[in-house]
Every structure is written in C-alpha cells, then in structure tokens.
Amino acid sequence: MSNPEVADGLNSLFKRRSKFVLIGLTGRTGSGCSQTAKLLSMNFDELKLPENKLVGASAEDRKHRIVKDYAQRNWKPFFSITVSNVILSFLLDCEETALRQFFGQANLISKSNRLDEFIESWKPANSAWLAVREALNKPSSDVASKEAFLVSWRGPIQTFFNTVRIGLEAESTKILQQVGDNLRKSGNPFSNAHIPDQFYELPHRTAQLVDLIRHIQGAKDQPAYIVLDALRNPFELLYFRERFAAFYVFAVSSPDEDRKTRLSVRRNYSAKVIDELDAKEYPERGGPLSGYEAFTSQNIQSCLEKADVYLTNSGYVPPTQEVDTSLLALQLVKYFSLILHPGLVTPTQGERCMQIAFAARANSGCISRQVGAAITDEHYSVKAVGWNDVPSGQVPCQLRRATDLLSGVDKEAFSDYENRDTKFKNQVTSSYKRYSLIDASGRSSAYCFKTEYNTLVKEKNQVHTRSLHAEENAFLQIVKQGGQGIAGGKLYTTASPCELCAKKAFQLGIKHIYYIDPYPGISLTHILAAGHSDVRPSVELYQGAVGTAYHRLFDPILPFKDELRALMEGKENDLAVATPSASERLI
C-alpha cells in the first residue's frame, strides 16, 4: 500500500458505511428502550459520558477512550421512529365511526369527555395523513413532498398520538399491544381475523418511514442514522434483517426489580397492570404462545434470543432526581463506533466467553429451545462448554422421527419404553395426525418426548425431559474428563440457570453468573439469593455483542496497520455535515 488511490478507496468504503445505520431496540416495557432511543437522538456533547480514566487505567478503560474519541468525531444524532406511533398511524386510515366504536368500549377511557377529545384531535391528523400519504408509497417523490410528510407527522399527527396516550393513561400500553396484534393478524387495527398475507403491514410501514428518511438525508448528502423504538415480534426482526444490511438489534435489559419500580413510580402503573403486561410480554412457564398467536403476538423472550447486542440499564432513582444515563450512553457509543469501524477495539473477556456459549447452543438437538453455557475459572480461562442435549450415546430429539417410531424403523434411536408401550405409541399417533403435511414438506417429524408423555399421563413435569441442561452438561464435562476445580469461577449461559442448575452452580463454588435470557422460576430470587453474602454468586445480565454481530463488529475490514498507512498517504476526507435539530429527529 503505497499510493493515494488506495487511501481514497479506503476512505470511500468507510464513508459508504457511514451513510446509513439502522438500530432496532427490543426489551420489556420499563427496561429502558425509550431512554436508549432518546440518548441516540442526542448530540454527542449531551450524552454526558464518564470521564476517561488515565491513572491506573485497565484495558477496558483504554478501549472506552478509543471509542469515545472516534465517536466524538463521527457521531451524528439518530432519527427516532417510535413504533407505537406507527401502530397508531393505522387509526388514521379508519373511518370516524369505527374509531368511535373502538375507543367507546367499556372501561377503555377513564373520563367520558376523552372520546370527543380523541376525535377532535383525530380529524386534523386524518386530513394531514390523507394529504401526504403518497410520499410513503411513491419512492420517486421529490424531497420536498417527503419533508412535508415529516412536518405533518410532527404536527397534527403527533398531537393525535399524544392525545391518545394521555387519554388512555396506564391502559395505553395494553391498547397498543391489542392494536399491534390485530395489525399482524389482519392488517386492520380493529380486527383479529387471521389474514396471513397482511402479517407484515406494520413493519412494512415502518420500513417506508426508514426509506423516506434515507431519501431525504441522501439528497442532502447527509447520513441517515435511525433507531426503531421498539420491536417486540421476532418475525419483524427477521423482516428488517432481510431488508436492510445495516440493521442491528439492540436488546435493552434491566433487573426485574428496577424495571417494575420504574413502571410503578415513574409511570404510575398499578401492580395489576404490571402483572398483565408481564403476562403478555413474557408468559410464565407452562403458558407458551401457540398456534397463530405465536406469530402475531409480542414475544419478548424470542426477540431477546435473536438480538445482536445486549445493553444493561440497571438502577433506579426517584422522579425528583435526574437519571444517570452515562453508562448506558457509553455502551451505545462503543457499538456505534464499531458499526462504523469494525475492529476498532477488541471484544471484552466477557464477550469472548459468552460468544463461546452462544456458539455452543447451536449443537443442541432439543427441538424446544437451544441453550449454551461456558464455564471459566476466575481468570476467564474456559474450562468447559455445554449445551442442552441428551446424554452422550443417545440420539437427540431432532434426529428422531415419529414416523420411524411408529413404523418400527431405527429402533436404536428410541428407548425400550417408546418401542414397547402401546399407549405411548397411540399418543404419538394421535399427535402426529395434526402434522400430516410434515412428510410432504420434506421436514423431519421430530417429536418431544416430554410433551407427549406429559400429555399421556396428564402431568406438567420437567423431570420427563430427555435432555441435560446446558449448565448441567458443562459441569459434568469437567467431572467426566477429570478437569480442574472451578470454585471462584464464572458461568456464562444464554439463559439464566433453572432451580436445579442454580443449586449445582452454588455447590461448585461458581462466583459470577452472566446470562442473556431470564429463565422462568425462582432460581434467581431463591436458590442463588440464599446464604451468607460472601458465598452467594453474583448474578448479572450480560452486556455485549454475540452471534454474527460479534464478527460484524470485531472483525476488521483490513489489518489496522495497513489502514493507518493508507490513511496517512491519502487526502483529507471531510465528512462534516449539518446536524438536524432534536425535534426533526423524532418520528
């Protein structure tokens, strides 16, 4: 690399990357998605990042300094698209009669005059919406017409959104969930009829807003950085992943106690409303989504499993105090910098360990849920890896077909009980009738023994599972191979340990547990929260990147030495652009 053309080409490549970034936020209500979107829409100097630590700085302190310096020179505030606003925009397509009927339902509005307030704010919003809707549906529309749409969206249309939220008070989240589910089912905010062709109406309209902002910013030669607040259906995440290459999912998590306190004190949600929200967003064990509801309903658990980057938003302060968002902002600055410049810094030790656990889960032959785990000593040296699967020598459920059991083929894949018990075979036969198209589709007719056996004996007992849990499997690998002790070590797991695995971790002296997805049950508040504080393991939500995003963010485009050499031989590349105002960034 010894000529300016290489530097120009490299600068052009990074400039192209800097033109568009789309971040989708996901997380439970109260976890901090809206706060995260607000931070992303700020100017850099408004983020109030922690001061750099120069004396006694650790490797992570130095990484923070590097990403902060990079972000300070490249940060542009994000446009924030509130997905709940997009949901409410479908009400602007409706007739006034239908709107009155929907909001006039019993107990939907706390004050009798609120319905008239809704309609009065709806009328100008409806007129504005009808006048500029073509800007969304015609990609070739001129920039002026598209900007006119945004002006209207921030004016009478936003007024309508605010009026609905204020009028519905604590019920607003529940109503938005209902309207969102209806849109996924039928494309109609008031109908829960099943019309599969209309499933993507909501993400499609959101994507139209994204394209509109890109078009406007591109015409001005300015970057389009956009955040979606918030996505709560896993198939909508898939939609954006397939449509936008520069799309990343950031999951915002918060300790449950902090989250519920925020909802109770800052939003005035009652305990009943919070319980209803939790039941909707994150069903307890034994109440999984099924049927068509599994596609159309919110499913935060699945969204968390599919996220690229995990942010933690711990802590709570009373409404009279200002919330300290500096640590959350620092996380955002880090991953923003890595999106624009992959490999700018290396992963944390925790990211490396969780990535191993995340990769390990793909080995699981469980057809219900895949979980991975990695165990390290106190110095982050990995001692064992595990995933949920059957004992070594047995055949995973994914490789066992119901048709083989019923036809007597591949008997070694099944237990003596399965091969010989007539009642159990009849149960499998009864269930398999519901999946008559499986063979025709070319898919394997794998079945879950626990589900079929519990149905047969009318139980809901986890003891009948064939698989070992991921953490349990990792613990046993150490015993099986005669490995080193792990007292004082760390457990990284893609799902928090259940009660049984938590007891094993406690007994083996695990000192720190890091997890992505909270497992239903009382292991975190009972098993791991007992005994003297000196012996209790610390339990923390994972913070960092995983999966394909781990490589997208940390694999450099070319060796950093070559990049720097080319940069020094090239010309100045000024990417300075005008910054839109805060009000212009909120959609």
Side-chain angles (χ1 to χ4, degrees), residues 94-325:
C94 304
E95 297 293 332
E96 179 180 337
T97 303
L99 196 69
R100 283 185 176 277
Q101 181 178 359
F102 179 73
F103 282 113
Q105 298 176 62
N107 301 322
L108 200 57
I109 301 175
S110 59
K111 297 179 182 179
S112 59
N113 64 336
R114 283 280 162 80
L115 180 56
D116 291 333
E117 291 179 16
F118 285 5
I119 300 302
E120 288 305 310
S121 65
W122 173 83
K123 289 178 180 177
N126 176 254
S127 298
W129 173 257
L130 296 177
V132 299
R133 186 169 53 184
E134 292 185 0
L136 284 179
N137 297 320
K138 293 184 178 179
S140 60
S141 297
D142 61 276
V143 173
S145 66
K146 291 181 179 293
E147 288 186 316
F149 170 83
L150 293 183
V151 171
S152 297
W153 186 282
R154 300 184 190 104
I157 295 176
Q158 184 63 53
T159 299
F160 169 66
F161 297 157
N162 294 338
T163 303
V164 171
R165 283 195 175 84
I166 294 171
L168 293 177
E169 299 175 337
E171 294 290 312
S172 61
T173 301
K174 185 195 302 185
I175 301 306
L176 283 166
Q177 289 174 339
Q178 179 183 339
V179 173
D181 287 355
N182 287 344
L183 287 172
R184 298 183 190 100
K185 291 176 182 177
S186 66
N188 185 321
F190 306 141
S191 172
N192 61 4
H194 292 172
I195 308 177
D197 289 344
Q198 302 298 313
F199 178 79
Y200 282 124
E201 284 298 300
L202 175 55
H204 175 67
R205 180 168 292 185
T206 307
Q208 286 180 308
L209 282 167
V210 172
D211 289 335
L212 182 144
I213 294 171
R214 289 185 74 183
H215 185 90
I216 293 173
Q217 293 296 97
K220 300 176 181 178
D221 195 28
Q222 296 181 11
Y225 299 159
I226 304 169
V227 56
L228 307 179
D229 174 26
L231 303 174
R232 291 188 166 96
N233 179 281
F235 301 103
E236 291 171 357
L237 301 187
L238 178 64
Y239 176 94
F240 289 105
R241 276 206 174 106
E242 293 180 341
R243 181 158 177 167
F244 300 107
F247 176 65
Y248 294 82
V249 180
F250 284 18
V252 186
S253 298
S254 179
D256 215 37
E257 184 177 350
D258 294 344
R259 182 184 64 85
K260 289 184 176 181
T261 302
R262 291 177 196 145
L263 291 175
S264 174
V265 179
R266 288 191 169 268
R267 298 200 194 180
N268 295 318
Y269 283 14
S270 67
K272 178 183 178 183
V273 170
I274 294 174
D275 289 342
E276 290 174 347
L277 284 175
D278 288 353
K280 171 69 176 177
E281 295 182 346
Y282 220 94
E284 291 289 338
R285 185 192 307 171
L289 298 169
S290 61
Y292 201 62
E293 296 290 331
F295 292 93
T296 60
S297 182
Q298 291 189 359
N299 190 339
I300 306 298
Q301 181 178 11
S302 184
C303 288
L304 291 175
E305 291 175 353
K306 299 180 185 304
D308 297 308
V309 175
Y310 295 88
L311 310 175
T312 56
N313 182 33
S314 303
Y316 165 77
V317 296
T320 55
Q321 299 180 22
E322 183 179 357
V323 177
D324 181 3
T325 59

Side-chain angles (χ1 to χ4, degrees), residues 476-485:
L476 291 174
Q477 294 307 314
I478 295 176
V479 176
K480 184 177 181 180
Q481 304 300 330
Q484 300 173 342

Side-chain angles (χ1 to χ4, degrees), residues 53 56-63:
K53 184 178 182 181
S58 66
E60 294 309 311
D61 293 327
R62 293 185 172 91
K63 291 177 187 178

